[in-house]
Amino acid sequence: MVLVMTGPRFDPRRLGGEEDFATELGVAVVGDCLDVLRQVPDGGIDLVVTSPPYDHQGKYRDGERYARQWYQDTFLKVSGEVLRVLQPRGSFVLNYRSRRHGPERGTLQYELVFWLRDLGFLFCEDFVWGKPSPPPGRFNRFLKDAVEYCYQFAKTPDWQFYPDHCLSPARWDARDRERRKRLPQNFVRVNEPSGHGRHRVNAGPDMVRPSTLLNFEPEFGPNPTAHPARFPVQLPAFFIRLLTMPGQVVLDPFAGTGTTAVAAQKLERRWVVTDVDSHYLSALPERLKTGR
């Protein structure tokens, strides 16, 4: 395995104790993420990808309801440490979706954006994770909840960005690809009022950049630790490819069963994940073996 050492020379395995699980690339630490983050040097992390507990989610083993006050207090303290440990070109990707409360959708998913901006983050982008096959259910006057948000924040305007790591085959047919190769915006810049024609085919007509709509199935795989809110490996893998280089350091402070670690290990990034519940993290060694 050849690693490109493009990030800060911080070895995340330094954070682990004798009872924590580690590989040649990373470490899973059981404990309070604030305690762990305070041991990370300034600028030691290139990317943070995480999904904190959803509001009023009472299905975690600790029984905590994670109400609004938890986000205004604990989560913002964690976010402040994230801002400190990010290297200047690093990003923080937050996967979050407010629950419904009676007849209303909760607004915390939007308020978090403003709170993090007040901390000093730049709000770079909002991605929509669309789930083609959301879990079934009966929702009275509501439809199945098939989307979640992934908000990208950065420390400076010059964040790392590698969209060519995420190219996908163009969906138009061969005849249309040939037509697109002859479009003027491939060769000259035009200035249409709609914005159309401004180098729209940046990656070429055969392979194209992704959009901000991410179509990934929910996690339907085995769940031996009965974690109530898992995301699929494809989700953190997308952002790891988009926002880091091999050898850089990825952090997930609310790791659950370690999905971010699985993605980072497969993509040859160094990683550190934390969770207060050793039961959830106990699934990680086997997940790293299977890559799922």
Side-chain angles (χ1 to χ4, degrees):
M1 180 180 297
V2 178
L3 297 182
V4 179
M5 303 298 290
T6 56
R9 295 186 179 278
F10 167 65
D11 185 350
R13 294 175 299 176
R14 289 167 39 194
L15 301 174
E18 293 183 359
E19 298 181 358
D20 295 315
F21 174 75
T23 72
E24 76 281 7
L25 289 180
V27 62
V29 182
V30 177
D32 188 305
C33 61
L34 262 176
D35 295 336
V36 177
L37 280 164
R38 287 166 179 157
Q39 301 175 54
V40 178
D42 294 359
I45 303 296
D46 298 280
L47 173 65
V48 176
V49 181
T50 197
S51 181
Y54 290 174
D55 62 312
H56 293 82
Q57 170 64 275
K59 296 181 181 179
Y60 296 99
R61 284 161 41 92
D62 61 7
E64 173 70 61
R65 296 294 295 179
Y66 298 100
R68 179 188 181 85
Q69 184 59 39
W70 183 87
Y71 290 91
Q72 290 181 299
D73 181 18
T74 302
F75 179 74
L76 289 186
K77 288 179 181 176
V78 172
S79 300
E81 285 297 302
V82 166
L83 182 63
R84 179 186 64 80
V85 303
L86 275 180
Q87 60 111 330
R89 302 190 67 210
S91 286
F92 173 25
V93 175
L94 173 65
N95 167 227
Y96 191 77
R97 174 71 159 166
S98 295
R99 296 187 65 195
R100 297 187 185 95
H101 303 294
E104 282 194 309
R105 166 72 66 183
T107 61
L108 191 55
Q109 60 195 1
Y110 309 113
E111 293 175 277
L112 283 170
V113 173
F114 291 93
W115 293 350
L116 290 173
R117 290 179 74 244
D118 288 341
L119 276 181
F121 284 101
L122 299 177
F123 178 39
C124 306
E125 188 60 271
D126 54 348
F127 295 81
V128 176
W129 168 24
K131 306 174 185 179
S133 305
R138 302 178 69 177
F139 305 105
N140 299 322
R141 287 173 295 176
F142 302 106
L143 301 180
K144 291 192 289 186
D145 210 349
V147 301
E148 294 190 22
Y149 294 97
C150 294
Y151 298 128
Q152 180 202 350
F153 301 90
K155 195 167 184 175
T156 68
D158 186 30
W159 69 81
Q160 296 185 129
F161 186 59
Y162 306 107
D164 289 352
H165 293 177
C166 304
L167 300 182
S168 58
R171 300 184 62 180
W172 42 78
D173 61 27
R175 179 179 297 178
D176 197 28
R177 286 200 298 272
E178 289 302 314
R179 180 186 67 81
R180 287 172 181 265
K181 289 179 182 179
R182 298 190 294 271
L183 291 174
Q185 58 260 32
N186 286 301
F187 314 103
V188 297
R189 183 176 179 86
V190 296
N191 190 23
E192 298 293 340
S194 65
H196 290 175
R198 297 181 181 177
H199 297 291
R200 289 170 59 213
V201 199
N202 289 345
D206 300 305
M207 300 293 290
V208 296
R209 289 184 176 190
S211 74
T212 55
L213 175 59
L214 310 177
N215 287 295
F216 302 133
E217 290 287 5
E219 179 54 72
F220 292 126
N223 191 5
T225 61
H227 193 281
R230 301 178 300 159
F231 52 41
V233 173
Q234 296 97 314
L235 193 71
F238 172 81
F239 291 107
I240 291 170
R241 291 195 304 269
L242 182 69
L243 300 169
T244 69
M245 295 289 288
Q248 292 189 323
V249 185
V250 179
L251 165 71
D252 187 343
F254 302 102
T257 60
T259 303
T260 299
V262 175
Q265 184 83 15
K266 292 174 68 173
L267 294 170
E268 299 186 356
R269 273 66 167 176
R270 292 176 292 162
W271 53 268
V272 55
V273 298
T274 72
D275 202 275
V276 294
D277 195 325
S278 61
H279 177 70
Y280 292 144
L281 276 179
S282 68
L284 182 56
E286 183 60 29
R287 296 193 68 193
L288 289 171
K289 288 180 184 178
T290 63
R292 299 182 56 189

